[in-house]
Amino acid sequence: MTAELDALVRPADYPLSSKYDPEWVLSLDMGPHPLWLLEDLARDLDLRPGMRVLDLGSGKGATSVFLAREFGVEVVAADLWVTPETATEVFTAAGVTDKVRAVHAEAHALPFEPESFDAIVCVDAYEYFGTADNYLAYILGFLKPGGHFGVATPAMTREIRDLGAIPPHIRACVGWEALAWHTVDWWRFQWELTDLVTITSARVQPSGWNDWLTWGRAVLTRATNADRVAVESVNSMLEADGGEFLTFALLTARKNPA
């Protein structure tokens, strides 16, 4: 195992994630280490066996496998870019098809009954749609009153509006899309103001920047020629940042009664 892959096994920090073969997790890459993010986020959630959980933006399925195995929940894995057939292959190989069902869905047109989930989690995807002022109300429509909502999303340590510009090393990599990366305080304010939820945790992931770069370096060891430029660009952004602006925000809340 290379040093980069070895760095993806950290039992002291992520004991549950460290049980998973890093090669397997890398094979499902669609962004920063999804199991690290989910394991950290889940520390602030009350996930119990038998719950029905929506994994929103589930990608190739690593987080859905983790939810089913580690918490014994029933998972609906919803993603726009990965077909249900592709995700189901992952679930079959992992032996979790009795607990996980894949669904093709767009985040603004979800095909679910109202108040049909006990919990909704979204790992490294909420930034693509959740910044809209009305989205929280929309997604909570599928959550039972008192249900848990958890998000792990790329974050800034300072608002870009306060900085007056997107820092050059960030703009060079992601351009204007960095406008969807906000501080934890921004997210807390947006959610609290609605009175739709009671926030149970809103925090910066302590090792967010470092974890992101550690993942990127491991991905680079397995990147194809077609992917290498993009991976190197993200790693260069993170190296230039040095943890000054970039991290991850972890947010959890309970849906308030109507």
Side-chain angles (χ1 to χ4, degrees):
M1 184 180 294
T2 65
E4 290 83 1
L5 260 67
D6 188 57
L8 298 183
V9 181
R10 286 165 40 188
D13 300 316
Y14 302 108
L16 299 180
S17 301
S18 293
K19 297 186 296 184
Y20 292 77
D21 180 359
E23 291 276 13
W24 177 79
V25 184
L26 281 173
S27 74
L28 304 177
D29 169 47
M30 289 188 74
H33 200 309
L35 302 192
W36 283 355
L37 288 168
L38 179 54
E39 181 170 352
D40 201 350
L41 180 68
R43 290 164 181 156
D44 299 322
L45 294 169
D46 182 20
L47 298 176
R48 288 171 277 111
M51 280 184 165
R52 188 168 189 255
V53 177
L54 172 61
D55 186 1
L56 181 62
S58 52
K60 296 179 182 177
T63 49
S64 298
V65 171
F66 187 89
L67 286 165
R69 282 186 174 178
E70 304 304 328
F71 300 101
V73 297
E74 306 290 330
V75 184
V76 176
D79 199 86
L80 175 64
W81 302 113
V82 178
T83 68
E85 293 77 17
T86 297
T88 299
E89 289 179 4
V90 174
F91 304 147
T92 300
V96 295
T97 50
D98 60 326
K99 291 186 175 297
V100 185
R101 177 172 66 91
V103 174
H104 181 257
E106 201 279 324
H108 299 87
L110 297 172
F112 308 121
E113 293 296 319
E115 298 185 355
S116 56
F117 292 99
D118 300 294
I120 299 173
V121 298
C122 186
V123 175
D124 193 29
Y126 200 68
E127 61 275 13
Y128 295 115
F129 42 80
T131 58
D133 291 340
N134 60 352
Y135 193 78
L136 182 66
Y138 173 73
I139 192 62
L140 291 177
F142 302 101
L143 187 63
K144 297 176 182 178
H148 302 267
F149 183 50
V151 169
T153 182
M156 298 286 290
T157 59
R158 294 175 60 192
E159 278 296 313
I160 289 173
R161 179 180 294 274
D162 295 336
L163 294 171
I166 299 172
H169 62 285
I170 299 176
R171 178 178 281 279
C173 181
V174 297
W176 63 265
E177 292 186 34
L179 293 172
W181 296 351
H182 291 285
T183 63
V184 166
D185 287 342
W186 186 92
W187 284 109
R188 181 190 291 112
F189 179 80
Q190 290 290 106
W191 288 14
E192 282 182 340
L193 204 61
T194 66
D195 289 329
L196 295 172
V197 295
T198 297
I199 293 177
T200 52
S201 178
R203 59 187 174 90
V204 170
Q205 190 183 36
S207 58
W209 164 80
N210 185 64
D211 285 357
W212 194 348
L213 182 56
T214 298
W215 173 258
R217 287 171 173 166
V219 170
L220 191 60
T221 67
R222 299 296 185 271
T224 65
N225 289 335
D227 297 332
R228 181 168 292 275
V229 172
V231 176
E232 288 176 339
S233 177
V234 173
N235 289 356
S236 294
M237 174 186 70
L238 292 165
E239 289 165 352
D241 188 77
E244 182 178 5
F245 297 118
L246 296 173
T247 184
F248 269 82
L250 305 178
L251 305 123
T252 59
R254 284 181 179 269
K255 179 180 176 179
N256 290 334

